[in-house]
Amino acid sequence: MPPGLLLRLGFFIEDYIMIKGLAITPPVIGRISIGKVVEKNGKRLPEKDDQFSITTQVQNRDGWVNHPLDEALRKSSGSDKLRSIPIRFLFNEPDLNLRAEYSMFDRQSGRPLCVGNGETCKRYTATGMQTLPCPSPDGCDLAKGGACKPYGRLNVMIGDAEEMGTFIFRTTGFNSIRTLAARLSYYQAASGNLLACLPLELRLRGKSTTLSHRTAIYYVDVTVREGLTIEEAFAQARQLNERRQSGGYGQAALDVVAREGLRNGAFEDSEEERTEIVEEFFTEADTGTAGRAAKTGSEKKVGLREKLIGKAENLKISSPLPN
């Protein structure tokens, strides 16, 4: 598609979006995780795992309800533990499939307070949303004590049930984010911008470090599907791309629409997802108060917001967070 036409399409989509300030994200029909939330002593806490789980977006008393694909893939793999998932990506541009940034959340409400990329950030201040310099967590006074961490969202397609329905994998793991970002960029370049057509798979890998006290930690990688060489995968991608083009599939236009939709909002996660983020990624020590005071209302809310306001006042920062 000619660049001029893509530019005009981008302006059209920007004008078409009716609700300004709402990020238009890829449609999600399920979740992928390598951990779970368990209840201990009346508290819901995150617990690490050594396998994938594919769930629906529905919860019951026991947690997230498994998606039918979870059982089907376990049977086809011949193993009780799901450690690889065949996938495709929806977009050719890596940063549309994987969005990652430094994020600082109010750990009681799950509300995002500041999101940055190491150069600039969007932060709630007393005067509203502002764009400010982002020195990364190591150089940011407000981020000291682990208040800010990398946060990534990966959207993938599993199977052919829905053409554009995706499963989302969320992670605050540096190893997963760095590995996924590298793989997506490499596969896009090596395939000649055919990332969305490549037959790939999510793969769970383990490693141990001094910081992990030599115990295994797990992270997510993307590889060519098992049984294929990289040349065979590229050949399949070219064939799929040709079929899509002959059928009128506009991949370049899809990427433009997706980018404009994501730009429409400052923060990607919705209100209803914020509690899930707190439960999935922050331990009881992280949140600071026993239980979930924000949920039960049995204790006074002392969240990250109040702590940051006090820290900002001590540092004489001109743009403290709003009440």
Side-chain angles (χ1 to χ4, degrees):
M1 184 176 293
L5 181 57
L6 288 178
L7 182 61
R8 291 195 295 274
L9 177 61
F11 287 131
F12 170 77
I13 294 300
E14 186 176 0
D15 292 337
Y16 177 76
I17 295 175
M18 293 178 287
I19 303 178
K20 303 301 180 182
L22 175 66
I24 309 302
T25 59
V28 173
I29 60 174
R31 303 167 61 258
I32 300 172
S33 65
I34 52 174
K36 55 188 175 182
V37 176
V38 297
E39 188 166 330
K40 293 182 179 179
N41 300 322
K43 303 170 187 176
R44 290 174 61 81
L45 302 173
E47 183 178 88
K48 296 180 181 179
D49 206 347
D50 62 349
Q51 62 175 320
F52 288 117
S53 294
I54 305 174
T55 73
T56 64
Q57 298 188 88
V58 177
Q59 293 191 74
N60 58 25
R61 292 182 178 179
D62 298 323
W64 294 99
V65 177
N66 280 356
H67 193 280
L69 282 169
D70 185 272
E71 182 179 357
L73 289 174
R74 290 178 195 275
K75 287 182 177 180
S76 64
S77 68
S79 172
D80 290 336
K81 293 197 172 183
L82 185 61
R83 288 179 170 152
S84 65
I85 303 173
I87 63 162
R88 289 192 193 275
F89 288 115
L90 185 55
F91 309 111
N92 272 336
E93 294 297 326
D95 64 340
L96 295 177
N97 299 297
L98 173 67
R99 285 90 56 213
E101 64 268 322
Y102 296 115
S103 297
M104 183 163 57
F105 294 96
D106 182 316
R107 296 185 183 183
Q108 290 299 320
S109 68
R111 182 185 183 187
L113 303 177
C114 185
V115 171
N117 61 9
E119 294 182 357
T120 61
C121 69
K122 293 181 180 179
R123 182 183 302 168
Y124 278 119
T125 71
T127 57
M129 185 73 67
Q130 287 192 7
T131 299
L132 302 169
C134 174
S136 81
D138 291 338
C140 179
D141 290 318
L142 292 180
K144 289 181 178 178
C148 181
K149 61 174 64 177
Y151 174 44
R153 311 162 196 81
L154 179 75
N155 288 85
V156 301
M157 295 187 295
I158 307 174
D160 301 317
E162 295 193 31
E163 293 83 356
M164 295 188 183
T166 67
F167 290 77
I168 189 167
F169 168 69
R170 295 186 178 95
T171 180
T172 56
F174 178 77
N175 288 299
S176 291
I177 292 173
R178 180 175 63 178
T179 302
L180 291 170
R183 290 282 194 179
L184 267 65
S185 297
Y186 294 170
Y187 282 135
Q188 181 207 27
S191 66
N193 199 32
L194 295 179
L195 181 61
C197 295
L198 284 171
L200 302 171
E201 69 180 27
L202 286 185
R203 184 175 295 276
L204 195 62
R205 296 193 187 276
K207 63 185 270 188
S208 60
T209 66
T210 302
L211 292 177
S212 70
H213 304 290
R214 302 303 178 187
T215 60
I217 57 175
Y218 294 93
Y219 64 98
V220 178
D221 196 358
V222 172
T223 65
V224 169
R225 286 187 196 172
E226 187 176 359
L228 294 176
T229 66
I230 193 167
E231 292 82 5
E232 291 169 340
F234 288 171
Q236 287 189 16
R238 288 192 296 270
Q239 293 169 5
L240 177 56
N241 184 55
E242 290 171 0
R243 291 198 302 272
R244 286 180 170 180
Q245 287 184 338
S246 64
Y249 191 95
Q251 182 67 59
L254 176 61
D255 283 25
V256 170
V257 169
R259 189 172 298 282
E260 292 302 325
L262 290 168
R263 285 175 177 169
N264 193 56
F267 301 124
E268 180 172 331
D269 297 294
S270 67
E271 288 277 354
E272 61 188 13
E273 294 170 322
R274 291 172 183 173
T275 302
E276 300 166 13
I277 294 169
V278 172
E279 285 190 341
E280 191 167 356
F281 296 121
F282 297 116
T283 64
E284 194 65 30
D286 288 329
T287 54
T289 57
R292 287 284 183 265
K295 288 184 180 181
T296 63
S298 60
E299 297 181 35
K300 182 180 179 181
K301 295 181 181 178
V302 182
L304 183 60
R305 177 186 299 276
E306 289 76 14
K307 296 177 184 178
L308 292 176
I309 290 174
K311 184 178 288 188
E313 290 174 349
N314 292 334
L315 294 170
K316 297 182 179 180
I317 293 176
S318 60
S319 58
L321 296 169
N323 293 326

